[in-house]
Amino acid sequence: MANRSGRVTATDVAREAGVSQTTVSYVLNDAPHQKISESTRRKVLDAVAKLGYQPSAAARALRLGRSELVLMLLPDVPVGDSLATLVELLGDELERHRLSLITRRTQHSPVSSLWREFMPAAVLTSLGVCAEDMAAMRAAGIPVVSVEIDAATHPLGLPIHQTLIGRMQVERLAATGHTHLGYAAPRQPRLRDFLEPRLAGVRAACAELGLAAPAVLDVPLDAAAAAAAADQWHSAVPAVTGVCAYNDETAFALLAGMRRVGLSAPGDLAVIGVDNDKLAPFAVPPLTTIDNNLDILAGRVARLVVSSIAGDTVSAAPQSVPVSLVVRESA
């Protein structure tokens, strides 16, 4: 029978099963080094099922000194489709290990107040977390898994090579005969940390292949502005014939702008994006792009999180996340 509050407690389970509350705790937490007979374990589990007992997450967090939450600290970047998809995939992966993912923006609250508020089982970081905050979390016994741009700066890290993305874009266009390239940059300062390494990869690949430096133009998510950029590239001497777009959204804008000025892809301007957005196959024409393979990224991050919580040894030189070329009609 439940207590006066109506909530079934571990005491009620112990009474129903005819065992001590300590035994209930050992069974429900699968405590190691405790010799609980199978018949006693079954009595406890049957009582749990009969009474509909749900362990208190708050009590468990108090007992363990941490919650079953994984805190993901989001940098100050726009939450586009890729980031939203990554959060969703990662949440699904962690739920398989009885962990819940929560996200917080680092620009809204100090990092120290966030992890102290939640006392998470682990923290996921990317941009904008200083060494002092990282050290404080480690000192508190909280594993920190770092998903970094182009480099793993923390022993528990996973690099995403943005420069490789830029290189792959150039290599695709060069392989299809394009020698004068443009780069469609977003007019969004908050994307600088992603833009700069991608553009660096484009410039490096152009230099290595003996191509002229890319003609960089801002292409905002505005058809008229994108049309002006497309016309400028097409009218240049020599004409730009292939464009690396910062991401698929930028590429979508460019393709729309091209139609406004009577240009088509790939005949007038070949266009290649980044992200393999779910709408990329439905662009006009279907968009060639670089796939970040977010499902693979989410799986690897989840395994790093689970391993770090368990105290398992993690390699100091983690495997980088693979990216792949998806060829469609635009390039």
Side-chain angles (χ1 to χ4, degrees):
M1 183 178 294
N3 61 19
R4 292 181 181 179
S5 68
R7 183 178 182 278
V8 177
T9 68
T11 301
D12 300 320
V13 172
R15 185 181 301 113
E16 177 69 25
V19 299
S20 70
Q21 192 170 339
T22 300
T23 299
V24 170
S25 178
Y26 286 157
V27 171
L28 295 183
N29 291 291
D30 199 18
H33 313 303
Q34 298 297 327
K35 295 181 179 179
I36 306 295
S37 69
E38 186 56 34
S39 61
T40 298
R41 185 181 301 277
R42 177 48 52 195
K43 286 180 182 178
V44 171
L45 295 178
D46 288 346
V48 166
K50 178 180 178 181
L51 299 177
Y53 173 66
Q54 293 292 332
S56 167
R60 178 174 172 80
L62 184 62
R63 181 175 65 254
L64 296 177
R66 63 167 175 81
S67 67
E68 293 178 335
L69 301 175
V70 175
L71 173 61
M72 185 176 188
L73 300 175
L74 298 178
D76 183 20
V77 297
V79 180
D81 184 68
S82 289
L83 181 55
T85 299
L86 176 59
V87 170
E88 180 179 0
L89 289 170
L90 187 53
D92 290 344
E93 289 287 338
L94 291 172
E95 281 184 7
R96 296 189 178 99
H97 299 276
R98 299 180 183 178
L99 296 167
S100 298
L101 181 69
I102 56 172
T103 61
R104 289 295 185 272
R105 292 277 201 166
T106 54
Q107 74 268 30
H108 296 328
S109 301
V111 171
S112 58
S113 66
L114 289 173
W115 68 260
R116 286 192 172 95
E117 175 185 355
F118 295 106
M119 287 305 294
V123 171
L124 279 170
T125 71
S126 52
L127 301 169
V129 179
C130 68
E132 183 179 351
D133 284 325
M134 300 279 274
M137 288 185 283
R138 292 197 298 271
I142 299 174
V144 180
V145 173
S146 180
V147 182
E148 296 295 339
I149 297 175
D150 278 329
T153 57
H154 183 270
L156 294 181
L158 196 64
I160 305 174
H161 291 304
Q162 303 296 322
T163 51
L164 176 60
I165 288 172
R167 285 177 175 274
M168 291 176 66
Q169 288 181 300
V170 172
E171 289 168 358
R172 172 59 187 173
L173 293 175
T176 50
H178 299 280
T179 57
H180 292 86
L181 307 183
Y183 190 87
R187 190 178 293 173
Q188 175 56 269
R190 293 163 64 199
L191 293 172
R192 182 183 66 252
D193 289 311
F194 292 89
L195 168 63
E196 290 180 351
R198 289 184 188 181
L199 182 52
V202 167
R203 286 174 168 149
C206 285
E208 291 171 11
L209 293 172
L211 308 181
V216 181
L217 295 177
D218 285 345
V219 178
L221 301 183
D222 176 83
D231 188 54
Q232 183 174 337
W233 278 316
H234 186 64
S235 302
V237 180
V240 167
T241 62
V243 176
C244 305
Y246 165 77
N247 64 4
D248 287 352
E249 286 187 348
T250 305
F252 296 155
L254 178 57
L255 291 173
M258 289 168 59
R259 291 194 293 273
R260 281 200 172 197
V261 291
L263 300 176
S264 63
D268 296 308
L269 282 177
V271 179
I272 181 170
V274 177
D275 286 339
N276 198 21
D277 187 283
K278 61 180 177 291
L279 296 179
F282 306 105
V284 181
L287 182 65
T288 294
T289 185
I290 305 298
D291 193 338
N292 286 309
N293 292 313
L294 295 179
D295 54 340
I296 297 176
L297 172 60
R300 290 187 178 178
V301 171
R303 287 193 291 274
L304 277 175
V305 168
V306 172
S307 295
S308 63
I309 291 172
D312 296 338
T313 301
V314 179
S315 170
Q319 185 179 1
S320 61
V321 177
V323 293
S324 55
L325 173 68
V326 180
V327 177
R328 300 190 181 98
E329 294 174 25
S330 71

